[in-house]
C-alpha cells in the first residue's frame, strides 16, 4: 500500500528502529506505562498489596499475548485500513452513541434474540464490573485506609477521594461488588450453557476449546470467588488461603487464554465502532454508482479499499466489460454472473430481480 | 468418499425448492442464503440458481478485517462468526458473485456455509437434498469425472472454472450446453 509510506513516517523511523519489532515496542511502552501508573497509585510504591502479586504477573502475560495477537492481526491489509481510517475518524460526533450502542448496551445482540442478549449482558457486565474492582486493587490504583474509626477513606491514584461510612451503603456495595458480579456471571454462563445443550445447531457446531472452555473458565473463576466469600462469612475463613490460590490460578489461566480463544472478541470489539464510522463518514462523502444500473450501493472509498485489499492478495476482478466486480451493486453482480453462465446479457435486461427471499 | 456440490445449471425449473430448504437448515434462522435468477426474464422462463461457490482463495475472507469468515477443513467457506463480525460489509463488496447478505439490524453478515453441520459428516446440503431437477447434485470427484467422459468434450469448457469463474472453486459448475456448443442429452 503506497499510501502508508509517506514522508511523515520518516521521523518515526528512528524510534521504531530502536526496537526489534512492533511487538517489542508496544510491550515496552505498556509495561513502562503500567509501572508509572503503579508508582503514582501506590504513592511511590509505599502501598502495594502483595497478596495480589499473582494477578500482576497474570496481567503482564496477558498483555504480551494480547499484543502478539493484535499486531499479527493488525498487519493484515483489510484490518490495517480499518484501524488507520477508524483512528482518523475517532472524533466524530456519532462515535459516543455508536460506542455505547455496540460496547455497552449491545442493541445489535438484542436483535439476534432476547435470550442471547440477556446472557451477554450478564456475562459482559459481570466481567466489566469485576475488572473495574480487581485491577485498580491489583495495581494499587485504588485502596482503602481507615483513619477515623468507622470511616474508610477511598484512595484513588494516590489521592484521598471520599470518606465512606464503614457500614454505609457505598461501603457495602464495594465489599460486595465482586459477589454481585460473580452471581451475574454465573447466571449468564448457565444460560449460555443451557442454550448450548438445548439448541441443536449450537450443539452441532460448538467446539470444546473454542465455545465451551471460555464458559467453564468464567464459571470456575466466579464459583471459586464466591466460595471465598462463603468461607469468610460462614466458615470463619476455613481453607481460605488454599481457595484464594485456586481462585488466583483460575484468573491467571483465563487471562492467558483470553487473547487466543473466543474471548478475544472483547479487546477486538471496539473495531466495530471504527467500521461504523468508516461506513457512515465515507458514505456521506461520496457514494459509488453501480456501473450497470447506477444505484448508489457503497461509498467510493470502501469500493476502492476493497479493490486494493484484493490486489494485495493477488485477486483481481477487472472484467473485460470495463469494470471491476466491486463496482457493481449486489443484484447486478449476481445477474452479471448469470450472464457469464448463460451467454445472455442478463444484467443488461431492465427488469427488477425476482424475489429472492423464500419467506416472501 | 469426499463429495462436492455440483451444479448443472440449465436443468433448473425455477421451483425455488432450494431457497425454501435453505431456510430450514440449522443455524440459518429461517432465512435463505441462495438465489434463483431468471436468465432472460422478458423473453423466456429459463432460471438458474446461484449460490456461494466456496472459492479456494475466497475474496470474502481475504477482505474481512476481523477474520470472521473461517474456512472449514472440508473447504467450505463459513458464514461470519457472530462474535467476530464487526459489520463493515467488506465481504459483500469483495465477493465476485455478490453472495454474502448483510443484516443491518443485527450488524451481522450471513452467507451459505454449505450446511456445514451436514456436509462435515458427508450429508449433502439442504438445497441439494430437495432439488427435483438434478440441477444440484452431490457427487464424488470420480462421478464428476465420469460425467466429463460421458460428454467427452475436449474443449476445456465442460466444468467451469477459469475463464468463466474468477478463480478455482470447491463447488463445481457445469456450463450450459449453449456455451459448450453442444446439445446435451439426458
Ligand atoms: S463465492 Fe463469494 S461468498 Fe462464496 S467463498 Fe467465494 S467470495 Fe466468498
Ligand atoms: S461484514 Fe463481517 S464478515 Fe463481512 S468483512 Fe466485515 S467483519 Fe468480515
Amino acid at each position: 500500500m503506497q499510501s502508508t509510506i509517506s514522508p511523515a513516517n520518516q521521523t518515526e523511523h528512528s524510534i521504531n528502529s530502536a526496537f526489534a519489532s512492533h511487538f517489542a515496542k508496544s510491550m515496552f511502552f505498556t509495561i513502562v506505562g503500567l509501572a508509572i501508573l503503579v508508582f503514582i497509585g501506590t504513592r511511590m510504591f509505599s502501598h502495594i498489596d502483595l497478596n495480589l502479586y499473582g494477578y500482576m504477573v497474570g496481567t503482564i502475560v496477558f498483555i504480551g499475548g494480547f499484543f502478539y495477537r493484535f499486531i499479527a492481526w493488525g498487519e493484515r491489509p483489510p484490518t490495517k485500513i480499518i484501524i488507520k481510517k477508524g483512528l482518523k475518524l475517532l472524533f466524530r460526533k456519532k462515535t459516543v452513541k455508536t460506542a455505547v450502542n455496540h460496547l455497552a448496551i449491545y442493541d445489535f445482540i438484542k436483535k439476534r434474540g432476547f435470550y442471547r442478549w440477556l446472557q451477554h449482558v450478564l456475562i459482559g457486565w459481570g466481567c466489566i464490573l469485576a475488572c473495574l474492582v480487581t485491577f485498580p486493587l491489583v495495581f494499587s490504583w485504588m485502596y482503602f485506609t481507615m483513619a477515623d474509626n468507622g470511616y474508610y477513606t477511598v484512595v484513588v491514584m494516590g489521592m484521598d477521594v471520599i470518606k465512606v461510612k464503614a457500614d454505609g451503603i457505598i461501603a457495602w456495595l464495594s465489599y460486595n461488588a465482586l459477589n454481585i458480579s460473580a452471581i451475574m456471571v454465573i447466571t449468564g454462563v448457565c444460560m449460555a450453557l443451557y442454550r448450548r445443550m438445548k439448541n441443536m445447531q449450537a450443539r452441532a457446531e460448538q467446539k470444546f476449546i473454542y465455545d465451551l472452555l471460555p464458559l467453564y473458565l468464567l464459571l470456575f473463576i466466579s464459583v471459586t470467588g464466591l466460595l471465598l466469600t462463603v468461607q469468610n462469612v460462614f466458615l470463619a475463613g476455613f481453607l481460605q488461603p488454599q481457595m484464594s490460590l485456586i481462585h488466583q490460578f483460575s484468573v491467571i489461566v483465563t487471562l492467558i487464554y483470553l487473547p487466543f480463544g473466543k474471548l478475544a472478541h472483547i479487546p477486538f470489539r471496539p473495531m466495530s465502532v471504527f467500521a461504523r464510522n468508516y461506513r457512515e463518514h465515507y458514505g456521506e462523502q461520496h457514494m459509488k454508482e453501480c456501473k450497470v444500473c447506477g444505484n448508489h450501493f457503497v461509498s467510493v472509498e470502501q469500493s476502492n479499499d476493497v479493490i486494493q485489499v484484493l490486489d494485495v492478495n493477488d485477486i483481481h476482478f477487472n472484467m473485460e466489460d470495463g469494470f471491476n466486480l466491486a463496482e457493481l451493486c449486489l443484484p447486478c453482480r449476481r445477474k452479471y454472473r448469470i450472464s457469464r453462465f448463460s451467454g445472455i446479457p442478463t444484467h443488461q435486461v431492465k427488469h427488477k430481480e425476482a424475489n429472492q427471499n423464500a419467506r416472501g | 468418499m469426499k463429495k462436492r456440490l455440483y451444479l448443472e445449471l440449465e436443468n433448473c425449473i425455477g421451483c425455488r425448492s432450494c431457497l425454501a430448504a435453505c431456510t430450514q437448515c440449522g443455524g440459518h434462522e429461517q432465512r435463505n442464503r441462495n438465489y434463483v435468477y431468471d436468465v432472460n426474464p422478458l423473453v423466456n422462463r429459463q432460471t438458474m440458481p446461484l449460490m456461494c461457490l466456496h472459492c479456494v482463495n475466497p475474496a470474502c475472507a481475504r477482505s474481512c478485517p476481523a477474520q470472521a469468515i473461517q474456512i472449514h477443513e472440508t473447504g467450505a467457506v463459513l458464514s461470519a462468526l457472530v462474535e467476530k463480525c464487526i459489520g463493515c460489509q467488506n465481504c459483500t463488496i469483495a465477493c465476485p458473485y455478490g453472495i454474502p447478505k448483510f443484516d443491518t439490524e443485527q450488524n451481522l453478515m450471513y452467507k451459505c456455509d454449505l450446511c456445514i453441520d451436514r456436509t462435515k459428516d458427508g450429508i449433502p446440503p439442504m438445497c441439494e437434498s430437495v432439488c427435483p431437477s438434478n440441477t444440484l447434485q452431490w457427487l464424488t470427484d470420480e462421478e464428476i469425472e465420469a460425467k466429463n467422459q460421458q460428454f467427452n468434450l475436449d474443449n476445456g469448457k465442460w466444468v467451469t472454472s477459469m475463464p468463466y469463474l474468477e478463480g478455482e472453486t470447491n463447488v463445481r459448475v457445469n456450463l450450459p450446453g449453449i456455451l459448450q456448443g453442444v446439445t446435451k442429452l439426458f
Side-chain angles (χ1 to χ4, degrees), chain A residues 69 73 76 78-79 82 102 108 111-112 116 201 204-205 210 262 265 269 271-272 275-276 279 297-298 302-303 306 309-310 313 315 317 319 325-326 330-331 333-335 337-338 340-344 346 349-351 353-359, chain B residues 9 16 19-20 23 26-27 30 32 35-42 48 50 57 59 61-67 82-90 92-98 105-108 116-117 120 163-166 175-176 178-179:
Chain A
R69 272 283 279 149
W73 186 68
R76 303 175 65 250
T79 319
I82 287 280
H102 285 189
F108 60 101
K111 302 271 164 47
R112 298 176 191 175
R116 298 184 75 166
Q201 177 65 20
E205 283 182 345
Y210 193 78
K262 194 171 200 171
H265 78 274
R269 195 66 212 183
M271 225 50 74
S272 76
R276 176 59 61 89
R279 284 195 52 92
F297 70 105
V298 74
Q302 187 170 7
S303 172
V306 170
V309 163
L310 293 181
N313 280 290
I315 302 178
F317 292 150
M319 299 294 111
L325 285 176
L330 304 186
R333 210 181 307 166
R334 293 189 287 258
K335 288 188 205 161
R337 186 53 40 185
I338 296 292
R340 300 270 295 188
F341 284 157
S342 63
I344 293 161
T346 310
V349 181
K350 297 261 176 292
H351 190 264
E353 75 170 349
N355 176 32
Q356 295 295 342
N357 186 349
R359 297 175 79 212
Chain B
L9 291 169
R16 292 173 169 77
L19 303 194
T23 63
Q30 313 278 319
N32 60 297
Y35 307 84
V36 170
Y37 273 92
D38 297 313
V39 174
N40 204 356
L42 303 176
M48 283 182 187
L50 185 64
N57 185 18
R62 299 286 171 258
S63 73
C64 173
Q67 282 179 323
V82 290
E83 78 281 1
K84 280 194 180 173
C85 175
I86 57 172
C88 67
Q89 302 179 41
N90 266 4
T92 64
I93 306 301
C95 171
Y97 317 123
E105 297 252 289
Q106 301 187 358
N107 201 32
L108 178 65
I116 194 61
D117 52 335
K120 77 172 192 303
Y164 296 97
L165 295 178
E166 305 319 318
L175 275 185
I178 321 162
L179 274 198

Side-chain angles (χ1 to χ4, degrees), chain B residues 105-125:
Chain B
E105 297 252 289
Q106 301 187 358
N107 201 32
L108 178 65
M109 177 282 262
Y110 60 105
K111 70 174 275 298
C112 166
D113 54 1
L114 209 63
C115 302
I116 194 61
D117 52 335
R118 299 166 62 91
T119 49
K120 77 172 192 303
D121 298 325
I123 308 169

